[in-house]
Amino acid sequence: MKAEVRDVIPLKPKQRSITTLKGVGPKLAERLRRLGLYTAEDVLLHLPLRYQDRSRITPIGKLQPGEEAQIEATVVNSQISGRSRRFLLCHLSDGTGDLTLRFFHFSPAQQQWLSQTGARLRCFGEVRSSYAGGLEMIHPECRRIELDTPPVDGQLTPIYPATAGLQQFTLRNLAEQVLEQAEALLPELLPPMLLAQLNLSPIAETVRLLHQPPADTPLAELESGCHPARRRLAFEEMLAHQLSLRRLREQTRRQAAPPLASGSLSQRFLERLPFTLTAAQQRVLKEINADLMQPRPMLRLLQGDVGSGKTVVAAAAALRAVATGAQAALMAPTELLAEQHHRNFRDWLGELGLDVAWLTGRLTGKARQLLLGRLAAGEIQIAIGTHALFQETVEFAELALVIVDEQHRFGVHQRLALREKGRNEGRCPHQLIMTATPIPRTLAMSAYADLDTSVIDELPPGRRLVKTVVVPDHRRNEIIERIRQACRKGRQAYWVCPLIEESEALQCQAATVTAEQLTGLLPELRIGLVHGRLSANAKEAVMAAFKAGELELLVATTVIEVGVDVPNASLMIIENPERLGLAQLHQLRGRVGRGSIDSSCVLLYRPPLSQVAHSRLAVLRECHDGFEIARRDLELRGPGEVLGTRQTGEQSLRVADLLRDQDLLNVVRHTADLLLRDHPDCVEPLIHRWIGAGTRYGEV
Ligand code: ADP
Ligand code: MG
């Protein structure tokens, strides 16, 4: 995907294609492309993952198992051992201790020189404890020391991220070539004043140090990413991302948007609700309304934990568009969720005489034509759907507000494509992005730098914590008994079978099998099944039956993750929870505990669980605050997972790590302000260097 995007982007005149490097033909170029390397600059920014230290000789007596080391020693004796599988053992000594080299593959020539008692060898490899209790190296790199053998390396040896068919020496070779021209390939883009102020070294010097660090460079600092050289590049990269989103924001904000001033319809709607808004909902709605009154497009991210009541806020905002005679569109990530929003909106707004349409991908033929016609004529005020809403064939009479629910399921690209779609003759709709995956502040400031943020940090009154337990699979029968008890008391339960296989078909199959088994074990219960392969009608029918209490147990895939609101459901079982993200589990769990009854969630895992998996599930047991959960998830799994970008392959940072480098963010933001204001010429080249050739979401 990444490759395709990038292929069509012409190189800038000053950029040099990677094929201009010596030794790079079409085949190698293809392999390099797989690493995201297209230009000579890319090679410079492809930094080593780690380093090997061949600059020192370690006395054998000082070796530690597990470390990589270089030794020099004399051959004491050698022998071939093993019956079915022959191997060569070569015993060495350097006066401080003994070490054995073990080779499973060896040529007769190698055997010959490794067997010469008294020969001196220099070896580099990983030290291990052998079965016999001594120290050994398996297949070390070895050379014989002759009179003309050069002294040890003056530099650390870089080990690069590689891919199949690409050798380290090829990458080293390419790095050497481009380093010769580092100054020309990576000109300084930051103003000299700024470099001095922030105490940043020149970029060419920085990359040279990272590719070929002098032997005395602290290895640990280099490898952990704390070395100033690495931080300097991380800073520039984060700056480029920040600039790209900020520039995008400015481009959007320069366009005109219809001011949505009238709040009377919205007020009438709120007065009719069976509850009053929480203080947090009111505050957030005020922030949104203030934006909507402006003649510039709103760009706002609305964050709020599961069940915090984002939908009502969205509906109130939509009514401001409707009140001025314009339209609003609400996009949800799944059909099921779109359907639920549609039902809610219809119930809420039908009384006000409004027409709410549900546009699904499954709607075809005449019915679809009719609906599209009414949408284009402005006869429908609010349209709800999945991304099908924004296909080319869909036209709005006057779209004034776009609401995107559960944004984390959409990539940044999709968000920006949507923005593009709504753009019309220099006019742009207001945008409200909602997410229940609370994004830690630091992350939000970088990944959503183009948006203002509002947070609903309070749940409606009367909500109870969902008691969460972590239970191994062999106690399944107990759990089944618990379901029986709960349902006997008139409660309802969910049984969730998450993704076991990648394919949706297999996932549905797993859910089907589980439903059959549970039907056998709980014959007195009425059990329903919902998964992604059912038709929309069938799904809706099952959900409606569950909601109406006609079904007691609902077996489901993760399609129920977002959406469904059944206050009487008090028990949720999640199988294989270790395969899901914490935020996703928290979402799922949010399906219970919606009423005033005590609820619980059982995480039914299949042992053995890794240590990390254990601590992850423990987080869920202890913690009920979505923000805190997201923060811990971030620590345990990294930003790619939390933002959902790992799947879409987007916004992959080359050097920076949003977690490790988050302390840079404030400076990054200030610097972005400064550059946009005082040095606008720097902006484009910076974006181009770091993102330009990658996923160019700055210019969707
Ligand atoms: P989410 O933020 O997860 O999308 P929803 O908008 O689906 O949450 O709201 C969850 C439930 O809470 C819905 O049934 C909604 O009607 C209800 N709700 C929303 N706001 C309030 C409130 N202020 N008081 C009571 N219930 C509310
Ligand atoms: Mg919601």
Side-chain angles (χ1 to χ4, degrees):
M1 169 65 204
K2 220 162 136 195
E4 286 162 35
V5 175
R6 202 157 157 184
D7 274 347
V8 296
I9 296 164
L11 298 175
K12 290 263 151 131
K14 274 198 230 134
Q15 281 192 312
R16 280 184 44 200
S17 161
I18 206 159
T19 48
T20 59
L21 298 179
K22 261 189 301 205
V24 182
K27 214 161 133 195
L28 181 54
E30 169 52 33
R31 285 183 184 151
L32 292 165
R33 230 195 303 274
R34 267 187 262 144
L35 286 175
L37 308 181
Y38 294 76
T39 63
E41 286 103 311
D42 287 342
V43 177
L44 277 174
L45 297 175
H46 187 63
L47 298 180
L49 261 186
R50 57 187 194 91
Y51 302 85
Q52 290 174 341
D53 186 355
R54 290 185 180 75
S55 71
R56 288 177 296 148
I57 304 292
T58 309
I60 292 179
K62 289 246 165 80
L63 292 179
Q64 295 292 335
E67 73 176 354
E68 275 184 332
Q70 181 164 254
I71 55 123
E72 266 184 30
T74 312
V75 177
V76 179
N77 65 59
S78 291
Q79 84 230 36
I80 298 220
S81 291
R83 253 170 267 139
S84 57
R85 202 170 165 211
R86 280 162 23 105
F87 50 86
L88 172 67
L89 290 180
C90 176
H91 303 285
L92 306 179
S93 168
D94 70 350
T96 71
D98 302 332
L99 176 79
T100 305
L101 310 183
R102 188 184 291 269
F103 297 87
F104 294 103
H105 318 279
F106 47 90
S107 64
Q110 271 173 322
Q111 183 189 346
Q112 209 248 328
W113 66 262
L114 283 169
S115 308
Q116 284 175 11
T117 303
R120 278 191 70 70
L121 304 182
R122 185 183 296 168
C123 310
F124 181 88
E126 192 187 330
V127 183
R128 313 175 7 135
S129 315
S130 73
Y131 290 117
L135 292 177
E136 66 176 17
M137 285 182 178
I138 297 178
H139 279 262
E141 291 166 33
C142 274
R143 71 197 300 175
R144 244 181 105 140
I145 300 190
E146 319 274 2
L147 282 177
D148 59 348
T149 300
V152 292
D153 290 353
Q155 292 164 355
L156 302 177
T157 313
I159 308 290
Y160 292 97
T163 175
L166 201 53
Q167 307 286 339
Q168 286 298 328
F169 69 77
T170 311
L171 288 166
R172 264 173 226 156
N173 197 321
L174 292 177
E176 250 161 57
Q177 273 189 60
V178 290
L179 280 174
E180 280 166 23
Q181 316 153 46
E183 276 77 8
L185 289 170
L186 289 183
E188 206 58 66
L189 298 178
L190 298 172
M193 266 273 290
L194 192 73
L195 288 174
Q197 221 172 45
L198 298 176
N199 196 15
L200 303 177
S201 40
I203 188 161
E205 199 177 289
T206 313
V207 292
R208 189 164 285 129
L209 182 127
L210 290 169
H211 283 282
Q212 300 179 342
D216 57 357
T217 318
L219 241 183
E221 254 182 44
L222 276 180
E223 293 187 343
S224 66
C226 311
H227 191 279
R230 224 173 156 109
R231 298 259 294 170
R232 188 246 181 267
L233 291 187
F235 171 79
E236 195 179 301
E237 180 175 39
M238 284 163 76
L239 181 63
H241 278 261
Q242 186 82 18
L243 286 169
S244 132
L245 286 171
R246 292 279 289 281
R247 192 178 59 172
L248 189 75
R249 174 190 167 83
E250 279 174 18
Q251 280 164 0
T252 309
R253 296 276 287 174
R254 265 203 294 276
Q255 291 183 307
L260 308 177
S262 165
S264 55
L265 191 59
S266 173
Q267 205 50 45
R268 248 167 56 214
F269 157 69
L270 293 174
E271 279 158 13
R272 281 156 171 260
L273 284 176
F275 48 77
T276 47
L277 294 189
T278 61
Q281 283 172 314
Q282 287 179 23
R283 187 193 66 234
V284 160
L285 193 55
K286 230 186 232 157
E287 290 165 0
I288 293 172
N289 286 340
D291 281 358
L292 292 177
M293 283 163 62
Q294 305 298 319
R296 289 185 306 277
M298 166 172 78
L299 291 172
R300 190 165 284 278
L301 175 70
L302 173 55
Q303 297 192 58
D305 208 343
V306 220
S308 61
K310 296 182 290 294
T311 322
V312 212
V313 172
L319 288 178
R320 290 207 153 217
V322 174
T324 64
Q327 294 163 302
L330 167 57
M331 180 169 91
T334 63
E335 294 274 348
L336 202 67
L337 187 56
E339 186 185 326
Q340 161 150 327
H341 280 323
H342 177 237
R343 212 180 309 124
N344 275 338
F345 272 60
R346 212 178 40 197
D347 293 350
W348 285 336
L349 309 183
E351 292 176 33
L352 298 171
L354 301 183
D355 215 337
V356 182
W358 177 32
L359 189 76
T360 117
R362 295 196 173 86
L363 191 67
T364 52
K366 260 232 167 79
R368 184 181 165 84
Q369 283 317 315
L370 190 70
L371 195 120
L372 291 183
R374 296 186 59 217
L375 205 54
E379 290 164 24
I380 292 173
Q381 285 90 26
I382 299 181
I384 296 178
T386 58
H387 52 271
L389 264 184
F390 293 91
Q391 283 164 0
E392 264 133 59
T393 50
V394 182
E395 265 181 57
F396 293 85
E398 167 138 38
L399 184 59
L401 172 65
V402 172
I403 304 165
V404 184
D405 195 14
E406 304 302 341
Q407 138 77 20
H408 69 286
R409 293 294 202 85
F410 302 102
V412 180
H413 274 305
Q414 248 166 328
R415 171 165 108 229
L416 300 177
L418 251 177
R419 197 175 288 181
E420 198 60 22
K421 172 78 190 175
R423 218 174 268 188
N424 189 2
E425 290 160 13
R427 273 162 83 88
C428 189
H430 297 283
Q431 292 156 47
L432 181 65
I433 319 285
M434 306 199 288
T435 175
T437 302
I439 301 150
R441 215 176 93 80
T442 46
L443 211 49
M445 284 194 303
S446 47
Y448 294 94
D450 57 328
L451 304 176
D452 299 306
T453 307
S454 292
V455 181
I456 307 185
D457 50 8
E458 174 187 4
L459 291 182
R463 293 283 161 76
R464 303 194 168 201
L465 295 187
V466 180
K467 186 166 188 293
T468 304
V469 289
V470 182
V471 173
D473 196 46
H474 52 256
R475 286 172 50 196
R476 215 177 167 89
N477 286 342
E478 272 170 51
I479 303 305
I480 288 170
E481 204 44 46
R482 249 174 109 162
I483 297 177
R484 199 192 310 274
Q485 297 302 337
C487 294
R488 196 170 284 162
K489 286 192 215 143
R491 307 283 177 237
Q492 290 165 281
Y494 294 101
W495 187 293
V496 185
C497 315
L499 198 76
I500 297 174
E501 302 294 337
E502 287 298 314
S503 101
E504 195 190 47
L506 287 170
Q507 196 189 160
C508 300
Q509 198 190 336
T512 310
V513 171
T514 307
E516 279 166 13
Q517 286 168 350
L518 290 172
T519 306
L521 293 164
L522 295 162
E524 74 274 32
L525 296 190
R526 290 162 297 172
I527 300 179
L529 171 66
V530 22
H531 57 64
R533 290 228 148 175
L534 293 182
S535 75
N537 281 344
K539 258 192 295 197
E540 188 168 17
V542 178
M543 290 311 307
F546 188 64
K547 201 163 179 165
E550 291 155 20
L551 296 170
E552 283 137 336
L553 175 61
L554 184 66
V555 179
T557 55
T558 44
V559 293
I560 63 144
E561 178 191 345
V562 279
V564 266
D565 198 18
V566 182
N568 191 45
S570 68
L571 179 59
M572 169 170 286
I573 322 295
I574 306 175
E575 280 198 86
N576 301 310
E578 66 276 13
R579 294 173 201 254
L580 295 178
L582 287 187
Q584 207 183 355
L585 286 166
H586 178 66
Q587 292 263 334
L588 277 169
R589 171 170 73 174
R591 299 302 107 208
V592 291
R594 303 213 130 207
S596 49
I597 40 179
D598 283 329
S599 305
S600 28
C601 175
V602 177
L603 303 176
L604 194 61
Y605 70 92
R606 195 158 300 177
L609 265 195
S610 72
Q611 194 55 45
V612 174
H614 256 300
S615 16
R616 290 185 58 231
L617 295 184
V619 168
L620 222 61
R621 195 176 54 211
E622 289 154 15
C623 185
H624 292 84
D625 171 352
F627 274 91
E628 179 61 16
I629 289 174
R631 200 184 58 73
R632 305 252 201 113
D633 208 14
L634 181 67
E635 276 168 16
L636 289 165
R637 294 196 310 164
E641 300 281 352
V642 175
L643 289 173
T645 49
R646 164 101 27 117
Q647 295 91 317
T648 53
E650 271 181 48
Q651 221 216 358
S652 39
L653 295 167
R654 306 188 202 193
V655 182
D657 175 323
L658 287 183
L659 191 60
R660 186 184 62 211
D661 300 316
Q662 54 179 308
D663 59 311
L664 292 175
L665 208 69
N666 269 333
V667 191
V668 165
R669 281 159 37 103
H670 283 134
T671 311
D673 285 340
L674 182 101
L675 293 187
L676 286 166
R677 198 187 58 220
D678 299 342
H679 303 275
D681 294 352
C682 300
V683 173
E684 164 63 24
L686 271 169
I687 296 176
H688 205 273
R689 169 178 293 169
W690 288 99
I691 311 168
T695 52
R696 321 194 81 195
Y697 52 74
E699 289 168 32
V700 170

